[in-house]
Amino acid sequence: MSYKFALSGGLGDCIRQCFERDGYSRLSTESKSECIIHSHNPFSEELVKYHPAVLDGRCVISKLPFATANHALLPIAEPRIDKNPPIFFGADAEKVRYLLPKEPYVILAPDAGDPCKGLPDHILLEAIGSYPVDAKLVLLGSTKISNASNVWRGDDSRLKNVLDLRNSLNVPETILAIRGASRVYTAHSAINIIAWLYNIPQTVCVPRQLHYELYMTMMYRTNKEDYGMNHTFSRMILY
């Protein structure tokens, strides 16, 4: 019988499940397995598709159209014991090093899989303007998702001091880039979750209603989830 587990939710949820559950980690040891991708973010599959177990046929990826009601029906893996970060395959480390600044850099990530979480352009422009002219700013994300900040062309004058790497990195490469950043300026998104899990200081911009739902409800107080705000140099901006 093959081993079966699911990654469910947004991209950030799926990444977090790789840290907290042993389903992804067991791919390296199982002779036959199936990973069910149940996500509203099309990039979630990239967490698994480059894994050696997938490439050599030991693991099959299946996709289930996202519906909140399906989550409780999915095979969720057991809690993960290993406290070390999981290894995400598929990142071209040489490419990432070549593209990123050699000096300390700040990542700007305005987009989120959920349209209500993406940053309005004026907030991102304020963030860019708050840094010194010689600061190394790197814009990450995708202009291929429906709610992306894709009104900016690559030659837009507002990006003259920003290294635009949108659409340049896959998910494992994005994780690698975030791990090397000195700070992340982001919407409440997968990039927020990655920075949190790797303990990278960040500024998270959150709509006020979402802040209430995530941070002020009984569920939050019970689970004690902080989304990176426990880092000494992290801060939150409400809008």
Side-chain angles (χ1 to χ4, degrees), residues 13-239:
D13 297 312
C14 294
I15 293 171
R16 183 174 171 185
Q17 288 158 27
C18 292
F19 273 75
E20 297 181 350
R21 300 284 171 173
D22 70 356
Y24 175 81
S25 299
R26 283 181 60 177
L27 290 182
S28 297
T29 58
E30 295 290 334
S31 60
K32 189 177 181 182
S33 58
E34 178 184 359
C35 175
I36 302 169
I37 302 293
H38 174 246
S39 177
H40 55 75
N41 190 315
F43 294 105
S44 295
E45 183 184 357
E46 292 188 3
L47 292 170
V48 182
K49 67 184 291 185
Y50 306 110
H51 195 288
V54 174
L55 298 179
D56 67 19
R58 287 180 290 127
C59 175
V60 175
I61 298 175
S62 58
K63 299 179 185 179
L64 180 66
F66 184 78
T68 304
N70 288 337
H71 184 77
L73 306 176
L74 295 170
I76 304 301
E78 294 297 317
R80 188 167 179 263
I81 298 175
D82 189 352
K83 300 304 180 183
N84 294 312
I87 298 173
F88 294 105
F89 297 90
D92 185 336
E94 288 298 322
K95 166 190 166 184
V96 175
R97 279 194 290 268
Y98 174 77
L99 290 175
L100 289 171
K102 303 301 182 286
E103 303 87 350
Y105 58 90
V106 175
I107 285 177
L108 306 174
D111 302 317
D114 185 337
C116 74
K117 297 179 182 178
L119 297 186
D121 283 346
H122 75 273
I123 291 182
L124 188 57
L125 288 171
E126 289 175 6
I128 292 173
S130 69
Y131 287 97
V133 174
D134 59 350
K136 304 301 180 184
L137 306 180
V138 179
L139 183 63
L140 291 187
S142 172
T143 61
K144 300 175 183 178
I145 57 178
S146 59
N147 56 294
S149 299
N150 56 7
V151 295
W152 289 0
R153 303 183 310 275
D155 60 351
D156 193 306
S157 62
R158 294 176 294 183
L159 291 178
K160 63 181 180 180
N161 295 321
V162 179
L163 176 60
D164 186 359
L165 293 184
R166 291 174 297 176
N167 307 324
S168 299
L169 305 178
N170 63 27
V171 171
E173 289 167 346
T174 298
I175 292 173
L176 193 59
I178 293 169
R179 292 180 65 179
S182 59
R183 188 173 191 86
V184 172
Y185 192 105
T186 180
H188 182 81
S189 65
I191 289 183
N192 161 221
I193 300 301
I194 296 167
W196 172 30
L197 293 171
Y198 285 102
N199 199 35
I200 306 299
Q202 59 182 308
T203 298
V204 183
C205 300
V206 184
R208 291 185 183 276
Q209 181 59 33
L210 181 65
H211 173 264
Y212 175 79
E213 294 169 359
L214 288 177
Y215 295 84
M216 304 301 291
T217 62
M218 180 60 72
M219 181 179 295
Y220 162 65
R221 292 198 296 270
T222 301
N223 292 341
K224 301 187 186 304
E225 296 167 353
D226 50 51
Y227 297 95
M229 294 301 99
N230 60 330
H231 193 293
T232 304
F233 297 106
S234 289
R235 66 190 184 106
M236 183 182 296
I237 295 175
L238 301 182
Y239 65 93

